Amino acid sequence: MSTRLLIMADTHIPRRAKQLPAELEAAIPLADIVLHAGDWVDVTFLDHLESVAARLVGVYGNNDHGVLRDRLPQEAHVAIEGLRFGVVHETGPAAGRENRCANAYPDLDVLVFGHSHIPWDTTAANGLRLLNPGSPTDRRRQPHATYLTATAVRGELLNVTFHALPGRSSTRARASGPAEP
């Protein structure tokens, strides 16, 4: 069996966009599990995602307050196809991230995080995979707004793909590659 994952963070709806890009919105019902690493900004978007996702695992971010913090945890853990996932919003500065997260999350296989809006895919020395999907609505200094898909199969994370969203540049997806500098 396999589980299709859709991973996003830093949606900032409705501050950065009124809604998700159409490509991402269309991909949500195709995923078995949607992981959201915080900065929703408005509870209406959480309600929407809960209504269209088969299963949602989310956390609150530094821009989430009130009802969002009441309904979402700061950190979430879930087992998917034999992989132990954690979801958090912030992991601190890029420098030293792998070691810091490996020490903080020794019992995880994959840590999904957000906050920087910068796509990230690296593996710590202990095997912890760190994934940041970027932001689908606020690309900041990145060439594209992005989200991520992957497939969990019998203890392996496969087909990890960052999807560049249309609007300001190319719509091609790219396989995971170099991490943020």
Side-chain angles (χ1 to χ4, degrees):
M1 178 155 199
S2 65
T3 301
R4 297 165 300 185
L5 306 174
L6 187 149
I7 302 171
M8 68 176 98
D10 299 290
T11 46
H12 294 271
I13 292 175
R15 288 191 193 147
R16 298 286 186 243
K18 292 187 188 317
Q19 60 193 23
L20 289 177
E23 173 186 324
L24 176 53
E25 187 69 40
I28 293 168
L30 304 177
D32 298 308
I33 302 175
V34 174
L35 303 171
H36 191 298
D39 275 2
W40 307 72
V41 179
D42 189 286
V43 71
T44 304
F45 179 61
L46 171 60
D47 292 339
H48 168 70
L49 207 51
E50 285 178 332
S51 74
V52 295
R55 181 176 175 196
L56 176 64
V57 176
V59 298
Y60 67 77
N62 61 300
N63 286 295
D64 299 325
H65 303 285
V67 175
L68 287 166
R69 289 195 180 211
D70 292 341
R71 289 180 48 189
L72 295 164
Q74 182 175 16
E75 190 173 301
H77 295 258
V78 61
I80 303 170
E81 294 290 328
L83 292 169
R84 299 161 301 171
F85 281 78
V87 183
V88 298
H89 185 63
E90 296 185 56
T91 59
R97 179 174 286 143
E98 287 80 11
N99 288 337
R100 192 172 50 255
C101 290
N103 290 330
Y105 303 101
D107 296 332
L108 295 181
D109 299 305
V110 181
L111 180 65
V112 173
F113 67 99
H115 189 61
S116 70
H117 298 214
I118 299 172
W120 182 283
D121 181 9
T122 58
T123 303
N126 73 341
L128 175 66
R129 182 111 180 235
L130 293 106
L131 297 173
N132 184 329
S135 170
T137 59
D138 184 13
R139 67 184 180 94
R140 288 193 181 161
R141 297 171 304 278
Q142 301 306 301
H144 308 281
T146 56
Y147 70 99
L148 195 151
T149 57
T151 307
V153 182
R154 293 184 302 278
E156 291 187 79
L157 190 62
L158 306 172
N159 308 316
V160 175
T161 305
F162 289 95
H163 297 266
L165 291 162
R168 297 182 186 174
S169 47
S170 169
T171 60
R172 290 188 307 239
R174 71 171 175 84
S176 61
E180 91 185 9

